[in-house]
Amino acid sequence: MAYIRPLANGNFRADVRMKGIVKNKTFPSEKLAQAWANKIERSIKTIPNLEVAQLLALSDADIDAMGGEELFNQLGVDLFAICNQARLEAINALSKKELLQLSSQEIESMGGAELFLQAGKRIRYKTFREVCGEYLSKWNKKDYRNQMARVKRER
């Protein structure tokens, strides 16, 4: 049930509390606040009932219009996992040896390091900045300043 209340500055605040989810937002008019609250309530009711095919068909704009990815997560719908299910299955099929031998290009082509972490897999993946940081932390020669200039030029 939505609760709309006027604020001292003339705006209106819409509070939605439903199924353990609390959402609120401030609007310049009561009509806009009520429309938003109705939309969020409708989303809270419909999101858990959506089929996988329907979830895959949603665009980013549709997801934002329904309350955002955070609302989906609060309702127990992991859009990231659903959208990347085939990739996650391919990652899970890799052996430990194959995981450690992946190049950064292969990791990116398979969905990126975030997807590997989502699958609970350890990989050897370092960004250029991390490699440079390690290199410079071990550097103990006189021309440290020149090395820093070279690293900054490479970025």
Side-chain angles (χ1 to χ4, degrees):
M1 184 74 191
Y3 176 68
I4 312 295
R5 63 185 168 112
L7 299 175
N9 62 3
N11 290 335
F12 292 84
R13 179 180 167 128
D15 291 304
V16 176
R17 289 183 177 88
M18 204 174 167
K19 294 186 180 182
I21 295 171
V22 178
K23 290 279 194 189
N24 53 56
K25 194 169 180 180
T26 304
F27 295 90
S29 74
E30 187 174 4
K31 187 177 179 180
L32 289 173
Q34 188 63 53
W36 176 83
N38 292 339
K39 184 171 64 170
I40 293 298
E41 286 179 345
R42 215 173 19 258
S43 294
I44 291 172
K45 290 175 185 174
T46 59
I47 288 172
N49 301 323
L50 293 175
E51 305 273 333
V52 172
Q54 292 172 313
L55 290 168
L56 289 171
L58 292 175
S59 68
D60 289 341
D62 295 334
I63 292 167
D64 288 340
M66 293 178 80
E69 195 168 338
E70 178 187 340
L71 181 60
F72 280 81
N73 289 335
Q74 288 175 330
L75 291 167
V77 178
D78 189 357
L79 289 173
F80 185 80
I82 291 170
C83 293
N84 293 297
Q85 186 174 3
R87 288 179 171 179
L88 285 168
E89 288 171 4
I91 290 169
N92 285 325
L94 295 173
S95 68
K96 284 185 179 181
K97 183 178 179 182
E98 290 171 325
L99 282 169
L100 294 174
Q101 291 175 346
L102 290 174
S103 69
S104 59
Q105 290 83 9
E106 291 170 322
I107 291 168
E108 289 301 320
S109 71
M110 292 179 78
E114 181 183 348
L115 196 58
F116 280 81
L117 294 175
Q118 179 84 12
K121 300 294 182 180
R122 277 188 50 209
I123 53 173
R124 289 186 184 158
Y125 182 80
K126 294 181 182 176
T127 63
F128 181 71
R129 178 170 284 166
E130 290 170 336
V131 172
C132 288
E134 287 177 16
Y135 172 77
L136 290 172
S137 69
K138 294 176 185 174
W139 188 263
N140 57 5
K141 301 207 174 155
K142 292 180 182 178
D143 63 343
Y144 179 81
R145 199 174 6 205
N146 291 336
Q147 289 297 323
M148 282 299 293
R150 288 186 190 107
V151 168
K152 287 180 181 176
R153 199 173 307 125
E154 292 296 322
R155 291 182 189 167

